[in-house]
Amino acid sequence: MIEAVENKDLIVVKNLKKYFPIKAGLLRRTVNHVRAVENISFTIRGGETLGIVGESGCGKSTTGRTILRLLEKTDGEVFYNNQNVFELPKHEIRKLRTEMQIVFQDPYSSLNPRMTVGEIVGEALREHGLAQGKELVTKVQEVIEKCGLAPYHIRRYPHEFSGGQRQRIGIARALALNPKFVVCDEPVSALDVSIQSQILNLLMDLQADMGLTYLFISHDLSVVKHISDRVGVMYLGTMVELAGKQELFDSPLHPYTQALLSAIPLPDPKLKRKRIILQGDIPSPANPPAGCRFNTRCPYVMPRCKVEVPEFKEAKEGHFVACHLI
């Protein structure tokens, strides 16, 4: 099993693109593409949590699933522990599944209602031939206990659990193979606020106990601030800013990031934050604007922004931004 090394890049994403074809006509010919992910690059160090935030439809989930090769790339490269994920043959990808897992957003649709909790969590162990019989039952009980469930729950079905408990089952399923890298695809967005904190604390505890590395996808900035070490901001398929958590929240450089942060409610009603209200709607990813994709809504737009794509570059140490203003 490959060990994740602290402070070394476990995941390296280089110029990743993912397009989805738009088909029309009787012959279902491809007439255009939805540019869901457009030329993004970042790294994730072993043992850290990289949060990705952005509006719905900006390509966050597509990025996570393409990194895991649940979706095939259009272009670019993804390296896991120096292995090019998209150059591995199928049998090697099967082995890699034990190292890379995902926690899905919806705890109601991601679990098979016809399988017991024991069958759901133990399925991957059986498929990879890692345990069977009594050993399988023991391992399943151990992992669901780690995730805050009781051993007798293995005989129950998903409909017998609450939303928070179902998400714990989803987390247990992802961790059954003892992975090193986990994509958390908005794992708390479908849960009540009180339950969200329990799941976030569980993920943080499991990370400390098992040495996990997370890609945490969310549209909730307060959730991302709580769990992440670094935060990347996506807009219309592109990465517009990436920095350490505190640096990003204290000194955002990109106008889109500044607008997002201005929308975070303050706990003290006496305090007021100056809101930045963005004008207009998000352009279609099938027909994005030329130049900077944010130019149609940016309050500081310049003629250069409409024709030239800004380079994603390091403005400060560890603080990357794609903006002509910087």
Side-chain angles (χ1 to χ4, degrees):
M1 184 170 288
I2 305 168
E3 295 295 329
V5 182
E6 189 75 24
N7 295 325
K8 290 189 177 181
D9 292 338
L10 184 69
I11 299 290
V12 177
V13 178
K14 293 182 179 180
N15 305 317
L16 183 65
K17 295 181 181 181
K18 177 59 185 176
Y19 297 170
F20 294 98
I22 300 173
K23 297 182 182 295
L26 291 174
L27 299 178
R28 306 299 294 165
R29 289 174 175 164
T30 299
V31 295
N32 201 353
H33 289 87
V34 173
R35 294 163 173 81
V37 177
E38 181 73 81
N39 206 35
I40 65 171
S41 301
F42 59 87
T43 63
I44 309 176
R45 293 187 291 269
E48 81 162 344
T49 300
L50 175 66
I52 292 185
V53 297
E55 294 168 286
S56 295
C58 71
K60 306 184 299 294
S61 296
T62 302
T63 298
R65 296 183 184 211
T66 307
I67 288 172
L68 296 179
R69 204 173 164 180
L70 297 179
L71 298 172
E72 289 296 321
K73 65 168 184 175
T74 300
D75 197 9
E77 296 176 309
V78 176
F79 294 90
Y80 170 79
N81 209 9
N82 297 322
Q83 298 178 84
N84 192 325
V85 172
F86 288 98
E87 289 184 355
L88 294 176
K90 284 189 176 181
H91 69 277
E92 290 293 335
I93 281 292
R94 180 177 169 84
K95 291 180 183 177
L96 200 62
R97 294 289 177 229
T98 64
E99 302 280 339
M100 307 166 75
Q101 285 290 314
I102 184 170
V103 177
F104 294 100
Q105 176 179 352
D106 187 359
Y108 294 89
S109 63
S110 62
L111 302 178
N112 189 334
R114 293 185 176 88
M115 296 174 70
T116 64
V117 171
E119 291 170 337
I120 290 170
V121 177
E123 183 178 22
L125 290 168
R126 289 194 305 273
E127 286 295 319
H128 287 274
L130 299 177
Q132 56 184 350
K134 290 184 178 179
E135 183 187 7
L136 176 64
V137 174
T138 302
K139 285 192 173 184
V140 169
Q141 288 178 335
E142 286 175 356
V143 72
I144 67 169
E145 281 188 87
K146 274 186 180 180
C147 294
L149 297 171
Y152 63 83
H153 283 147
I154 66 171
R155 295 184 294 275
R156 295 187 177 180
Y157 290 86
H159 73 269
E160 300 179 67
F161 295 91
S162 66
Q165 288 176 314
R166 290 188 194 200
Q167 196 58 290
R168 289 175 186 269
I169 297 168
I171 294 169
R173 174 178 61 186
L175 299 184
L177 294 173
N178 195 28
K180 295 303 176 187
F181 174 64
V182 181
V183 173
C184 300
D185 186 8
E186 303 205 37
V188 297
S189 63
L191 307 176
D192 294 338
V193 174
S194 59
I195 305 301
Q196 285 185 11
S197 61
Q198 295 177 21
I199 298 299
L200 289 175
N201 291 332
L202 171 64
L203 288 169
M204 294 170 74
D205 291 341
L206 290 168
Q207 183 178 38
D209 292 342
M210 302 175 67
L212 297 170
T213 302
Y214 290 146
L215 175 64
F216 191 91
I217 297 165
S218 180
H219 60 266
D220 190 327
L221 285 159
S222 57
V223 166
V224 168
K225 187 177 182 181
H226 179 69
I227 196 171
S228 301
D229 299 305
R230 291 187 300 142
V231 179
V233 181
M234 287 188 68
Y235 179 80
L236 204 63
T238 62
M239 185 79 75
V240 297
E241 191 162 1
L242 174 65
K245 170 177 64 178
Q246 208 58 49
E247 169 73 15
L248 186 92
F249 278 80
D250 291 345
S251 306
L253 297 178
H254 198 280
Y256 177 63
T257 309
Q258 294 168 2
L260 282 183
L261 296 180
S262 76
I264 301 176
L266 294 169
D268 188 344
K270 295 179 182 178
L271 298 176
K272 290 188 177 181
R273 179 184 278 127
K274 184 181 178 182
R275 283 293 312 275
I276 301 173
I277 307 297
L278 297 176
Q279 303 299 318
D281 297 324
I282 304 175
S284 168
N287 188 27
C292 174
R293 292 194 170 190
F294 188 57
N295 78 71
T296 58
R297 304 174 74 196
C298 182
Y300 312 108
V301 64
M302 304 178 291
R304 179 186 180 189
C305 301
K306 297 181 180 181
V307 294
E308 184 181 338
V309 178
E311 181 187 353
F312 189 66
K313 59 187 178 182
E314 193 169 18
K316 305 178 186 176
E317 186 179 354
H319 193 153
F320 296 83
V321 65
C323 182
H324 291 310
L325 290 170
I326 309 303

